[in-house]
């Protein structure tokens, strides 16, 4: 416990030290940083070096003579960025000029009619829109749900998306992979944060409008024939590449039985180990899942999503700290990168091991108890026997197509939620005991 505590303190100290070095760096490192709920670079303000910005709302009205790295909810560029723009946020709106590359990951990315990108654009997210009048001097690559290109692109358009509408000029080739009809939703999906800027509604697949001008070839991969206007000007040829057909072989009953048998044996082994080394913890999880099924299910869904968010956050923080250390203390690049990779690996492995075995053991224990009490009440007190019976039923049920997958998912949610409630209860008990001891 002491070793783990010191290790945590050491990692925290290292990250804090690096951040302090970055934010209080002298001008010789050519770095300026701003942070806060709302960050505004005034129209008469000139940043002589690279600028790193983090905030809820970021507005650049002035000039950044170096690169701009921005992370926030809404990022708006009204001024000029002489170098690259690297942005991550819910919405990124370019009303000004980026004289070099644009690299963006955002729910919505919009290039207004005054936007000027001096080199390449690489973007990923829900929606990408270049309004008529905007220009991208070189290549444009996008991966996401939909893209509306009404502004000009100097060279190539490359991408993979469910919907693409091309209304503008492309200097060279267009090479895209499209989804089938129905892959693109008709409206923005529920339960997602609503876009901060208007999002165009596009039809699924590839649409080449009357005003489109392509200086090279149009190559697309799609299960559906696209809508190409007769008035569109395509200097090269139009080539449709067939998507590889995925052969779905009929399930082999022998292989399915063998797989479920192996899984059953593995669960029995894990259950025996849990009963041997952490029986109280296993019983506590089972009691929580039994007495609080709905809260456990709800918290399980939250934890399931939180693991993905935390993994992305660790990767993002590792990337940012590594980039900053390259500017401040290059000797810390490999330690930070290694710690970030190890932290993410530990999180993923721990989640995989728990979600693959523990919830199944917990729910099977409850199910086995119930069955044993119904059939043979005198043997209901034999916990391991109840577990084996429950695991056997669980293995049989999860072998059923569709139903088995749904049962597996609900089981994982219940187990994760029970773990969260158990952890919270233990923390509350520990806090209460400390308060009583202090009194």
């Amino acid at each position: 416990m002491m070793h783990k505590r010191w290790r945590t303190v050491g990692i925290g100290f290292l990250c804090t030290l690096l951040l302090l070095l970055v934010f209080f760096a002298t001008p010789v490192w050519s770095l300026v940083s701003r942070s806060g709920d709302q960050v505004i670079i005034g129209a008469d303000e000139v940043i002589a070096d690279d600028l790193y910005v983090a905030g809820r709302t970021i507005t650049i009205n002035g000039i950044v003579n170096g690169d701009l790295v921005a992370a926030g909810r809404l990022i708006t560029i009204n001024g000029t960025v002489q170098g690259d723009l690297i942005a991550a946020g819910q919405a990124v709106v370019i009303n000004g000029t980026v004289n070099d590359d644009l690299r963006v990951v955002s729910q919505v990315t919009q290039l207004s009619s005054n936007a000027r990108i001096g080199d390449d654009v690489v973007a990923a997210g829900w929606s990408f829109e270049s309004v008529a009048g905007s220009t991208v001097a070189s290549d444009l690559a996008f991966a996401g749900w939909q893209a509306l290109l009404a502004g000009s692109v100097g060279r190539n358009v490359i991408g993979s998306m469910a919907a693409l509408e091309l209304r503008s000029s492309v200097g060279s080739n267009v090479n895209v992979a499209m989804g089938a009809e129905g892959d693109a939703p008709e409206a923005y999906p529920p339960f997602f944060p609503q876009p901060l800027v208007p999002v165009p509604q596009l039809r699924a697949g590839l649409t080449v409008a009357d005003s489109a001008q392509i200086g090279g070839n149009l190559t697309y991969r799609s299960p559906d024939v696209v809508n190409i206007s007769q008035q569109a000007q395509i200097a090269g040829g139009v080539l449709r590449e067939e998507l590889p057909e995925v052969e779905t072989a009929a399930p082999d009953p022998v292989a399915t039985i063998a797989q479920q048998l192996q899984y059953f044996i593995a669960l029995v082994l894990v259950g025996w180990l849990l009963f041997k080394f952490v029986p109280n913890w296993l019983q506590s999880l089972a009691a929580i899942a039994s007495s609080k099924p709905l809260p456990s299910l709800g918290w399980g869904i939250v934890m399931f999503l939180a693991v993905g968010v935390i993994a992305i956050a660790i990767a993002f923080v590792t990337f940012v700290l590594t980039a900053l250390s390259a500017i401040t203390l290059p000797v810390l690049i490999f330690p930070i990168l290694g710690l970030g990779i190890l932290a993410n690996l530990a999180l993923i492995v721990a989640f995989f091991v728990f979600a693959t075995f523990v919830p199944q053991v917990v729910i099977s224990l409850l199910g086995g108890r119930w069955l044993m009490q119904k059939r043979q009440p005198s043997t209901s007190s034999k916990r391991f026997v109840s577990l084996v019976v429950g695991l056997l039923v669980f293995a049989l049920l999860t072998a059923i197509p569709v139903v088995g997958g749904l049962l597996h998912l609900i089981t994982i949610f219940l187990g994760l939620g029970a773990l969260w409630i158990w952890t919270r209860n233990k923390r509350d008990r520990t806090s209460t005991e400390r308060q009583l001891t202090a009194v």
Side-chain angles (χ1 to χ4, degrees), residues 136-208:
V136 176
S138 191
D139 297 332
L140 188 153
F142 175 71
W145 275 108
Q146 64 175 37
L148 171 59
L149 304 182
S152 64
V153 178
R155 293 180 58 189
N156 303 304
V157 171
I158 306 166
S160 175
M161 60 215 80
L164 169 63
E165 184 169 339
L166 183 61
R167 301 178 183 174
S168 61
S169 63
V170 177
S172 189
N173 302 315
V174 176
N175 194 325
V176 291
M178 309 303 304
E181 185 176 356
D183 286 350
E186 297 179 358
Y188 197 73
F191 310 115
F192 278 70
Q194 292 300 309
L196 301 176
V197 296
V199 175
Q201 297 296 317
L202 304 180
R203 58 180 294 179
L206 174 62
T207 301
V208 181

Side-chain angles (χ1 to χ4, degrees), residues 19-44:
L19 288 174
L20 288 174
L21 288 172
V22 168
F23 283 105
F24 293 99
T26 57
V28 72
W29 282 324
S30 300
L31 169 67
V32 178
S33 63
R34 303 281 179 90
S35 63
D37 186 67
Q38 186 176 20
V39 178
I40 299 177
I41 304 299
D44 57 348

Side-chain angles (χ1 to χ4, degrees), residues 95 237 302 318:
N95 299 317
V302 172
T318 301

Side-chain angles (χ1 to χ4, degrees), residues 14 58 96 113 161 191 208 217 219 234 241 267 272 279 435:
L14 179 64
I58 299 170
S113 58
M161 60 215 80
F191 310 115
V208 181
N217 299 321
T219 304
I234 303 176
E241 296 182 352
L267 288 174
W272 178 80
Q435 292 176 0

Side-chain angles (χ1 to χ4, degrees), residues 288-359:
I288 292 171
S290 177
S291 61
K292 300 178 179 180
L294 291 180
S296 297
L297 186 63
W299 280 114
I301 296 174
V302 172
M303 284 195 67
F304 188 88
L305 298 175
V307 169
V309 173
I310 293 172
I312 295 173
I314 291 175
F316 179 75
V317 171
T318 301
F319 169 77
V320 172
L321 292 178
T322 302
L324 295 179
S325 65
I327 302 172
T328 56
L329 291 176
V331 70
L332 295 178
I333 292 177
F334 288 106
I336 292 174
L337 191 61
L339 289 173
I341 294 174
L342 287 176
N344 237 340
L345 184 62
L347 173 67
I348 294 172
V349 170
F351 173 78
F352 176 79
V353 171
F354 181 90
T356 304
F357 298 106
V358 178

Side-chain angles (χ1 to χ4, degrees), residues 82-396:
Q82 299 291 1
D84 296 336
L85 171 58
I86 302 173
Q90 186 180 350
V92 177
V93 180
I94 311 296
N95 299 317
T97 300
V98 177
N99 282 323
D100 209 338
D101 298 327
L102 171 62
R103 304 284 187 262
V104 58
V105 177
S106 178
Q107 180 189 34
V108 179
T109 301
Q110 184 184 86
L111 307 184
S112 74
S113 58
N114 296 321
R116 301 290 181 268
I117 310 299
D119 205 345
D120 298 331
V121 171
V122 177
W126 170 265
S127 175
F128 182 92
E129 179 185 7
S130 64
V131 180
S134 64
T135 60
V136 176
S138 191
D139 297 332
L140 188 153
F142 175 71
W145 275 108
Q146 64 175 37
L148 171 59
L149 304 182
S152 64
V153 178
R155 293 180 58 189
N156 303 304
V157 171
I158 306 166
S160 175
M161 60 215 80
L164 169 63
E165 184 169 339
L166 183 61
R167 301 178 183 174
S168 61
S169 63
V170 177
S172 189
N173 302 315
V174 176
N175 194 325
V176 291
M178 309 303 304
E181 185 176 356
D183 286 350
E186 297 179 358
Y188 197 73
F191 310 115
F192 278 70
Q194 292 300 309
L196 301 176
V197 296
V199 175
Q201 297 296 317
L202 304 180
R203 58 180 294 179
L206 174 62
T207 301
V208 181
D210 298 346
S211 55
Q213 299 178 4
I214 300 176
N217 299 321
L218 170 60
T219 304
Y220 68 93
R221 290 164 300 284
S222 174
D224 301 319
V225 178
V226 298
N227 181 23
I228 301 177
S229 171
Q230 296 292 336
Q231 284 73 38
Q233 300 178 25
I234 303 176
V238 177
L239 175 62
R240 178 189 180 188
E241 296 182 352
E242 295 291 338
L243 293 173
E245 296 184 0
V246 180
E247 297 183 0
T248 56
D252 184 1
V254 177
T256 302
I257 293 174
Q259 183 179 4
Q260 289 302 106
L261 181 60
Q262 293 174 359
Y263 190 41
F264 168 73
I265 295 173
L267 288 174
V268 170
L269 178 59
V270 172
W272 178 80
L273 291 173
L274 292 175
F275 268 128
K276 184 174 180 61
F277 295 102
V278 285
N280 294 332
W281 179 65
L282 183 61
Q283 296 283 358
S284 298
L285 293 182
I288 292 171
S290 177
S291 61
K292 300 178 179 180
L294 291 180
S296 297
L297 186 63
W299 280 114
I301 296 174
V302 172
M303 284 195 67
F304 188 88
L305 298 175
V307 169
V309 173
I310 293 172
I312 295 173
I314 291 175
F316 179 75
V317 171
T318 301
F319 169 77
V320 172
L321 292 178
T322 302
L324 295 179
S325 65
I327 302 172
T328 56
L329 291 176
V331 70
L332 295 178
I333 292 177
F334 288 106
I336 292 174
L337 191 61
L339 289 173
I341 294 174
L342 287 176
N344 237 340
L345 184 62
L347 173 67
I348 294 172
V349 170
F351 173 78
F352 176 79
V353 171
F354 181 90
T356 304
F357 298 106
V358 178
Q360 291 79 357
V361 171
V362 170
I363 301 304
S364 296
L365 177 61
L366 293 174
R369 280 180 183 171
W370 182 81
L371 288 174
M372 295 294 288
Q373 288 175 352
K374 291 292 184 180
R375 301 292 296 177
Q376 298 179 1
S378 60
T379 60
S380 61
S381 60
K382 296 181 179 180
R383 299 178 301 178
F384 190 70
V385 175
S386 300
L387 174 63
V388 173
V389 172
L391 287 174
L392 180 60
V393 174
F394 182 84
L396 293 174

